């Protein structure tokens, strides 16, 4: 049946996995028996799991499904780039390709002879797929034109109930939205991060990372008062921008006789719920003076009153 379909559709080239190699000679005989010219065949190495077994949906689940990557926030361009590098190379160490560049560079001669390995963990949800896939997706999101990224972020935010029509083209907060997304995207790995790690920039209901709280808020009991006072000082800044926020924080750290990093790290967690992110002071500017002050005051309640 396959041969009949190929003849009817005038297939000239067949590229498939090497597990079909054993069928090829039979199919060529069928072509010849039908008086048809056999197509050219190319058999590619397989993609294996970390244990070197053949990757399959039945055994390995969603990691082999293209829709899984779509639903978990991977860009199509980044995913194509990743798939191309599974067993293929242009002959150099380059990893980042646009789709057009892949089309120009790709050739069957660049495909390796050994089976490729998709490195993932079945027990660690943070490494549910290959690290290189995460890396390439992060690179694409960080480097792609902002105008191309924004509609994809919009779709994610709509799904999470975080979209505001004021962010849309012609909306009153479009400029703010563009600036904020451009600021936070460099550290994000998938589109879903904009609704998760980026939630604090868009809404007041966000989760505090327990590890960040333990590290940056609970180790220094004096932060209970320091953060509230920092919030008071921020409230008095007439032109609340990155530079003025930084000046106020560093001046207060000097008065206390502590390293500015103590207040910087604590403020980041208090305001964004995270231990890492873009420049704190640029983050404070886009989040806004009122929200920053309120969050610093609230975060004081997370600090231990007495040393442990």
């Amino acid at each position: 049946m396959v041969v009949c379909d190929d003849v009817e559709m005038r297939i000239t080239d067949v590229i498939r996995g090497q597990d079909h190699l054993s069928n090829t000679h039979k199919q060529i005989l069928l072509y010849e028996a039908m008086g048809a010219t056999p197509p050219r065949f190319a058999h590619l190495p397989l993609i294996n799991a970390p244990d070197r077994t053949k990757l399959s949906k039945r055994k390995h689940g969603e990691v082999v499904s293209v829709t899984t990557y779509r639903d978990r926030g991977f860009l199509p361009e980044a995913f194509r780039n990743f798939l191309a590098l599974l067993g293929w190379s242009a002959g150099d160490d380059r990893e980042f390709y646009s789709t057009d560049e892949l089309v120009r560079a790709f050739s069957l001669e660049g495909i390796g002879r050994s089976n490729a390995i998709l490195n993932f963990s079945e027990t660690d949800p943070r490494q549910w797929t290959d690290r290189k896939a995460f890396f390439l997706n992060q690179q694409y999101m960080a480097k792609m034109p902002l105008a191309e990224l924004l509609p994809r972020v919009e779709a994610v935010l709509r799904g999470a109930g975080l979209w505001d029509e004021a962010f849309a083209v012609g909306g009153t907060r479009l400029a703010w939205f563009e600036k904020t997304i451009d600021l936070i995207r460099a550290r994000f790995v998938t589109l879903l991060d904009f609704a998760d790690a980026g939630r604090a920039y868009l809404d007041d209901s966000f989760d505090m990372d327990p590890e960040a709280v333990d590290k940056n808020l609970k180790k220094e009991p004096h932060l209970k008062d320091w953060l509230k006072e920092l919030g008071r000082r921020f409230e008095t800044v007439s032109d609340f921008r990155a530079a003025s926020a930084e000046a106020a924080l560093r001046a207060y750290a000097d008065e206390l006789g502590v390293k500015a990093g103590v207040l910087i790290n604590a403020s980041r967690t208090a305001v964004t719920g995270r231990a890492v992110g873009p420049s704190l002071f640029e983050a404070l500017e886009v989040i806004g003076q009122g929200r920053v002050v309120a969050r610093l005051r609230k975060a004081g309640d997370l600090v231990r009153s007495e040393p442990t």
Side-chain angles (χ1 to χ4, degrees):
M1 183 63 71
V2 172
V3 172
C4 292
D5 289 341
D6 287 353
V7 171
E8 183 178 2
M9 292 186 290
R10 300 177 182 177
I11 299 298
T12 59
D13 298 270
V14 176
I15 303 175
R16 58 189 183 181
Q18 65 183 19
D19 51 338
H20 288 282
L21 189 59
S22 60
N23 303 328
T24 305
H25 68 285
K26 301 175 184 177
Q27 292 174 344
I28 290 176
L29 290 174
L30 288 172
Y31 281 108
E32 293 175 346
M34 296 174 64
T37 301
R40 296 184 300 174
F41 287 91
H43 293 87
L44 310 184
L46 304 179
I47 301 175
N48 286 348
D51 62 1
R52 301 302 194 270
T53 60
K54 179 183 175 182
L55 203 62
S56 70
K57 187 171 184 179
R58 177 176 297 178
K59 181 177 180 181
H60 299 106
E62 293 184 337
V63 71
V64 306
S65 172
V66 172
T67 57
T68 296
Y69 292 84
R70 178 199 64 192
D71 295 344
R72 295 195 183 189
F74 277 75
L75 299 169
E77 305 95 312
F79 189 59
R80 285 194 291 268
N81 193 161
F82 169 67
L83 286 181
L85 295 179
L86 277 177
W88 171 83
S89 171
D92 52 32
D93 295 329
R94 184 179 176 187
E95 292 186 317
F96 189 86
Y97 290 87
S98 69
T99 300
D100 288 341
E101 289 171 335
L102 277 175
V103 170
R104 291 194 296 268
F106 186 83
S107 68
L108 290 176
E109 289 75 18
I111 296 174
R113 295 182 178 274
S114 301
N115 291 335
I117 303 295
L118 183 71
N119 288 302
F120 64 95
S121 171
E122 297 185 72
T123 57
D124 184 354
R126 295 172 300 179
Q127 296 300 326
W128 63 269
T129 191
D130 200 292
R131 290 177 183 270
K132 184 173 286 187
F134 288 125
F135 168 74
L136 289 171
N137 203 66
Q138 182 270 331
Q139 289 290 297
Y140 262 88
M141 292 202 312
K143 296 177 179 180
M144 70 190 305
L146 186 62
E148 295 180 15
L149 177 63
L150 290 176
R152 308 181 194 209
V153 175
E154 176 183 344
V156 170
L157 297 184
R158 284 186 182 277
L162 293 172
W163 179 252
D164 186 332
E165 289 302 329
F167 302 157
V169 175
T172 58
R173 301 190 70 197
L174 173 61
W176 175 88
F177 181 66
E178 291 176 336
K179 180 178 180 179
T180 300
I181 298 304
D182 198 29
L183 173 66
I184 64 180
R185 64 170 164 165
R187 286 183 174 268
F188 289 173
V189 177
T190 74
L191 290 171
L192 300 187
D193 288 336
F194 288 97
D196 182 16
R199 189 181 187 95
Y201 295 83
L202 304 163
D203 195 82
D204 287 325
S205 60
F206 60 93
D207 294 330
M208 304 286 281
D209 179 3
E211 292 184 5
V213 171
D214 289 341
K215 177 182 179 182
N216 293 332
L217 294 179
K218 291 190 173 182
K219 288 184 177 180
E220 171 53 73
H222 294 98
L223 282 170
K224 183 179 182 69
D225 297 322
W226 293 351
L227 290 178
K228 291 180 179 179
E229 173 60 18
L230 180 61
R232 189 193 68 78
R233 295 188 179 214
F234 279 162
E235 193 173 26
T236 64
V237 175
S238 59
D239 186 20
F240 191 76
R241 297 183 183 273
S244 56
E246 180 175 6
L249 183 147
R250 293 190 183 279
Y252 184 41
D254 288 342
E255 287 183 32
L256 294 173
V258 300
K259 293 181 178 180
V262 174
L263 293 181
I264 290 173
N265 292 334
S267 296
R268 181 186 303 282
T269 299
V271 175
T272 70
R274 304 284 165 162
V276 297
S279 162
L280 170 68
F281 304 108
E282 292 183 15
L284 296 181
E285 180 179 330
V286 298
I287 290 172
Q289 187 174 25
R291 280 179 164 176
V292 168
V293 170
R295 293 176 187 182
L296 287 173
R297 289 171 175 166
K298 183 179 179 180
D301 297 333
L302 298 174
V303 182
R304 292 191 179 99
S305 298
E306 299 293 337
T308 57

